[in-house]
Amino acid sequence: MMKKITAIALTVFMVTGLLLTGCGGSGGSGDGGGGKTVKLGFLSPITGANAAEGAAARNAFKLAIDQANESGDFDYTIEVIEIDDKSDPSTGVAGAQKIVSDPDVVAATGHWNSGVAEATIPVFKEAEIPMLIWGAIASDLTSKDNYPWITRSAPTDVQENVPLAKAVLDDMGYKKIFIISDTTSYGAGNSKAFKAELESRGMKEVGFEEVQEGTVDFHAILTKVKSSGADCVYWGGVVTEGSLLKNQMYEDKVDALFCGISGNYSEDFLKISPEASEGALVVKPGIVLESTDAGKKFIEDYEAAGFSEPIGAYTPYAYTAAEILLQALKECGDDVTPEKMRDAIKDGSFDGIMGTTTFDDIGQTELVAAYLNVVQDGKWTVYDDSEYADGTRTFPGK
Amino acid sequence: MGRFGNLLLSAILCGCTYTLVAIGYCLFFGVLDVVVFCCGDIAIFGAFSIIGAFTIIWSAGIFQAVPAIVAVLILLVVASILCAALGLITYRVSVKPFEKSSALMPLLSTIALGVVIKEVLGLIFQPVVNNIAKGVVRVDDPKTVVGGRNPQSMPQLIAAGGSTLTRNLIIIIVVALILLALFFFLNKTKLGLSMQAISQNKELALMTGVNVKSCIRWTFIIGGVLLAIGGFLLGNYQTILRFDGGTMYGTKGFAAAVVGGLKSTWGAVIGGMLLGFVEVFTAGLIPGGTKFQNVIAFIVVIIFIVFKPEGIIGEKVAEKV
């Protein structure tokens, strides 16, 4: 008897659950524009471990779409099918299937998690619906195989090396770079990318060492760094080993700049003493929103809309993805098809809050918005606001 | 100091950290003929207990009132007691129950215990320490430790404010003193001689009136204290520590002990130093050699196991058929 009741109760819950998700999915449908609608899919983790980023991204995306619907620029209503992928590949695939089975869908944008993106990419490719990745950063998601259906408006982890190289090599003028990275694919990808940056400037690193993940003792390498005469150490790994390396550079009195990409931007880096962490230079993707008018307007609009989730690191990227899709829709004119959207996205040039986005020959964005951060008195500080930028303090190796 | 001098110093320091763990393996193997595989994790536990004790005692306002050397001694005593207790627990939980079974059982059970120690440190270290610190807080600037599954920064206790070189030299001197004390203990005290007797022939030792049971317990207590000091020195050398750092540290220590000849403490010293020198000089002298430093270190270990299985200082054991 109890079993029967449980079974019935479960069924009721499941049906209600389905109905609720159904309602959520069709949310945002409007009645303007002569009744014609065009649908866009949006996938992000709205519940689960990454809910904060995912829900904020969803908010930003819908904010952009609502603004577009209100603007009257479109002769149809744009509707969003929003999917909660729960950071789970199989849930993501089910959601992707729901999106591609709707005949009104012309494009989709999705994913915070690279693993989920990997799982849904085949669904979109097979259904021939263009999918623009807004937040997953594993570098192999955009590829020759996936092009042109899959494009990405977020920079990959490897791409962050471009603005870092520009700052360190061009603006600050460091000449003798010693590259240290770990042997993971992340570390190898970074050292390769940074070496390419050096080569493009006709330079060559003065030394290159790879360490295993979990290495704690860098003193031996640092003797090499010293004897190579390097003025800058590029660290291609993450904070775990990065902070130890920086600490030992301080202990061994290595007179060289420490720089790395966003894997080092963490409070964990500050666990070494303030004297040891001082002057570490790390690049972080995104823009300082407050620094541009468009960014400020985005913050105002987002806050005015009264969302419960605050703006996260990747929220502006979701907004950018919406800006790209909207401009692509405009280019397609009145008769929007997935094929037209695909071509409009891959060939287009899109102005947005992060800058102008264009895509390369595998559909990866060429816009790498990023800004520098430096440790000053034991705290991460935006480089432009730091005493290093105004010349009060100088980096080592200068 | 030139480049070679720096490398030499790094190699000695690296060797020191391996040596202390290797001696732990030797002591336990000596009296029990089993490999207690969680030595590295016990040492990391020791270092973490120092971080925790420092946080709590600082928050209670005691350290501000006493000279630095007293503070360090208090911390060492606390960590030693905790590690000795953990040593006894290790014996009681994962060695003694398997006395009659094959030597593989305690090996497996101590590996398992090592995982438990590591995960417990990762999960409950931070809330436990912070709650106690909150309870005793008597100063304006109480310290807290940060999230457990992260690296923890070790308070700088050796040559605080002094140069790194001073600190490193003190670490080396302390290790040398510990080795001397250990040598004295093993060869001049009754307990130490009993331990050696058990190590050479358990039955005979039993017959000559050595209290084997109490001797084994003392070995775990002394091993625990030694590992606590090892953890303290390691923490001061590395300045930040990960709760899961014990695995690699333990494996290297074990390798050093095997190269030295598992039963000999001097062998452990030589094995530890050899491993440290191979690692540091591979990384420091061969261009691009860093990624091979562990590979080369372990190749050296394999070569020793193949060509000198009894270790550098070890007796050939002739098995009677």
Side-chain angles (χ1 to χ4, degrees):
Chain A
M1 190 59 197
M2 272 314 282
K3 267 189 188 160
K4 210 171 180 183
I5 293 174
T6 324
I8 293 170
L10 271 176
T11 323
V12 170
F13 280 131
M14 279 159 75
V15 172
T16 349
L18 276 179
L19 286 174
L20 284 175
T21 11
C23 292
S26 59
S29 61
D31 54 354
K36 202 180 153 207
T37 54
V38 161
K39 291 181 184 171
L40 299 173
F42 184 81
L43 305 96
S44 73
I46 295 165
T47 57
N50 303 307
E53 279 287 353
R58 184 264 327 259
N59 297 343
F61 188 82
K62 289 188 74 174
L63 174 68
I65 303 299
D66 288 346
Q67 287 169 341
N69 278 331
E70 281 162 23
S71 71
D73 288 353
F74 295 92
D75 293 337
Y76 42 79
T77 307
I78 306 163
E79 204 175 289
V80 180
I81 303 179
E82 65 172 77
I83 301 290
D84 176 10
D85 67 29
K86 297 188 167 64
S87 294
D88 171 49
S90 56
T91 314
V93 167
Q97 271 155 354
K98 186 179 165 193
I99 291 174
V100 299
S101 62
D102 191 319
D104 291 339
V105 167
V106 294
T109 177
H111 302 307
W112 159 255
N113 303 83
S114 296
V116 187
E118 216 160 73
T120 66
I121 282 171
V123 178
F124 288 109
K125 269 163 69 183
E126 197 172 311
E128 304 198 328
I129 298 290
M131 204 259 285
L132 174 70
I133 301 169
W134 62 265
I137 62 166
S139 58
D140 56 355
L141 294 177
T142 39
S143 66
K144 275 211 175 73
D145 287 347
N146 293 339
Y147 189 70
W149 293 107
I150 309 298
T151 48
R152 168 162 49 188
S153 53
T156 66
D157 41 12
V158 171
Q159 279 183 309
E160 289 171 27
N161 286 290
V162 179
L164 180 67
K166 189 186 168 294
V168 172
L169 305 175
D170 301 341
D171 302 346
M172 299 179 186
Y174 282 96
K175 295 274 182 291
K176 294 175 165 180
I177 318 293
F178 198 106
I179 298 177
I180 306 174
S181 72
D182 62 37
T183 50
T184 62
S185 57
Y186 181 80
N190 281 325
S191 52
K192 199 175 141 203
F194 202 81
K195 275 185 189 175
E197 289 300 312
L198 285 171
E199 264 165 37
S200 72
R201 291 166 173 80
M203 297 162 73
K204 192 171 173 10
E205 69 275 8
V206 295
F208 172 51
E209 290 291 334
E210 284 174 285
V211 298
Q212 255 128 29
E213 229 183 339
T215 296
V216 290
D217 199 330
F218 293 89
H219 293 292
I221 303 177
L222 290 174
T223 62
K224 275 186 189 162
V225 173
K226 271 186 171 175
S227 61
S228 71
D231 55 13
C232 168
V233 171
Y234 168 84
W235 165 243
V238 295
V239 61
T240 317
E241 292 84 15
S243 56
L244 279 165
L245 173 61
K246 178 74 177 82
N247 186 44
Q248 291 170 23
M249 280 173 68
Y250 168 74
E251 286 187 347
D252 294 356
K253 301 190 179 65
V254 178
D255 182 30
L257 171 76
F258 173 96
C259 66
I261 68 160
S262 62
N264 292 288
Y265 184 86
S266 155
E267 292 303 307
D268 282 349
F269 197 93
L270 308 175
K271 284 180 184 164
I272 59 178
S273 68
E275 298 82 40
S277 58
E278 181 71 32
L281 185 70
V282 163
V283 69
K284 192 170 170 273
I287 55 167
V288 184
L289 285 172
E290 291 83 355
S291 69
T292 64
D293 290 340
K296 274 185 210 150
K297 185 174 176 301
F298 168 69
I299 298 177
E300 277 165 22
D301 291 347
Y302 189 94
E303 278 167 4
F307 297 117
S308 52
E309 296 84 6
I311 297 176
Y314 273 78
T315 315
Y317 283 101
Y319 193 81
T320 300
E323 288 175 317
I324 292 170
L325 292 187
L326 289 169
Q327 287 173 48
L329 279 174
K330 258 183 212 162
E331 266 171 48
C332 291
D334 278 346
D335 182 29
V336 191
T337 63
E339 286 77 24
K340 278 189 179 175
M341 278 299 277
R342 175 198 69 191
D343 295 337
I345 294 169
K346 78 179 169 67
D347 299 328
S349 163
F350 308 94
D351 295 323
I353 52 167
M354 316 274 273
T356 305
T357 306
T358 50
F359 295 97
D360 68 8
D361 56 358
I362 56 165
Q364 178 59 42
T365 181
E366 289 171 320
L367 168 71
V368 187
Y371 61 101
L372 295 169
N373 292 273
V374 63
V375 179
Q376 181 179 304
D377 298 327
K379 283 197 183 67
W380 286 112
T381 313
V382 175
Y383 173 72
D384 290 333
D385 303 336
S386 73
E387 292 186 1
Y388 288 94
D390 64 22
T392 316
R393 302 185 194 197
T394 49
F395 284 113
K398 282 274 115 187
Chain B
M1 210 164 32
R3 184 175 173 208
F4 189 80
N6 279 326
L7 279 178
L8 194 68
L9 188 66
S10 296
I12 294 174
L13 278 161
C14 189
C16 283
T17 58
Y18 295 156
T19 297
L20 287 172
V21 182
I23 289 178
Y25 279 100
C26 287
L27 287 179
F28 298 146
F29 188 81
V31 292
L32 285 167
D33 268 349
V34 295
V35 176
V36 176
F37 220 88
C38 53
C39 286
D41 295 302
I42 297 179
I44 295 291
F45 174 83
F48 267 71
S49 56
I50 285 178
I51 299 174
F54 177 81
T55 305
I56 293 164
I57 301 177
W58 176 278
S59 297
I62 296 171
F63 279 167
Q64 294 81 339
V66 297
I69 184 78
V70 181
V72 171
L73 286 176
I74 296 176
L75 287 176
L76 277 177
V77 169
V78 173
S80 297
I81 292 171
L82 288 172
C83 276
L86 186 61
L88 280 178
I89 292 172
T90 306
Y91 174 61
R92 195 66 200 83
V93 175
S94 60
V95 179
K96 194 156 182 278
F98 306 105
E99 254 175 351
K100 301 273 186 293
S101 37
S102 100
L104 282 178
M105 300 305 281
L107 177 72
L108 196 62
S109 68
T110 49
I111 290 177
L113 185 68
V115 175
V116 172
I117 296 172
K118 180 163 63 189
E119 293 304 323
V120 165
L121 275 182
L123 291 171
I124 70 164
F125 174 76
Q126 184 246 357
V128 167
V129 170
N130 281 352
N131 278 332
I132 302 178
K134 236 183 265 165
V136 300
V137 63
R138 261 185 238 128
V139 289
D140 294 338
D141 168 35
K143 289 195 185 300
T144 50
V145 294
V146 270
R149 298 196 77 82
N150 285 313
Q152 293 290 351
S153 45
M154 183 88 181
Q156 282 309 289
L157 298 163
I158 300 179
S163 77
T164 315
L165 183 66
T166 322
R167 183 200 70 195
N168 290 347
L169 291 177
I170 292 178
I171 291 177
I172 293 172
I173 292 168
V174 172
V175 172
L177 288 177
I178 291 173
L179 291 177
L180 278 178
L182 193 70
F183 182 75
F184 177 80
F185 166 76
L186 285 176
N187 291 301
K188 302 284 172 197
T189 64
K190 191 173 170 230
L191 184 60
L193 287 167
S194 310
M195 279 163 67
Q196 290 202 51
I198 296 174
S199 167
Q200 278 158 13
N201 192 324
K202 206 170 181 175
E203 281 81 32
L204 215 60
L206 204 60
M207 276 189 262
T208 49
V210 173
N211 185 344
V212 174
K213 271 187 187 159
S214 111
C215 206
I216 290 175
R217 272 198 293 274
W218 274 108
T219 309
F220 275 87
I221 292 174
I222 290 163
V225 172
L226 203 67
L227 290 172
I229 300 171
F232 169 76
L233 296 175
L234 180 81
N236 272 283
Y237 176 47
Q238 283 178 4
T239 66
I240 61 173
L241 279 175
R242 287 181 66 79
F243 69 93
D244 54 359
T247 314
M248 197 56 183
Y249 189 44
T251 316
K252 292 271 175 70
F254 177 61
V258 170
V259 169
L262 265 177
K263 284 202 170 183
S264 152
T265 40
W266 290 117
V269 179
I270 297 171
M273 286 296 163
L274 181 75
L275 216 55
F277 271 74
V278 170
E279 261 183 38
V280 167
F281 280 91
T282 310
L285 294 181
I286 304 173
T290 322
K291 67 175 153 182
F292 301 112
Q293 70 177 41
N294 285 341
V295 179
I296 294 177
F298 281 109
I299 285 177
V300 170
V301 173
I302 292 171
I303 291 173
F304 266 96
I305 293 174
V306 172
F307 293 104
K308 209 163 166 27
E310 71 277 11
I312 296 173
I313 302 183
E315 304 137 32
K316 275 212 167 98
V317 185
E319 291 274 344
K320 253 190 210 161
V321 185

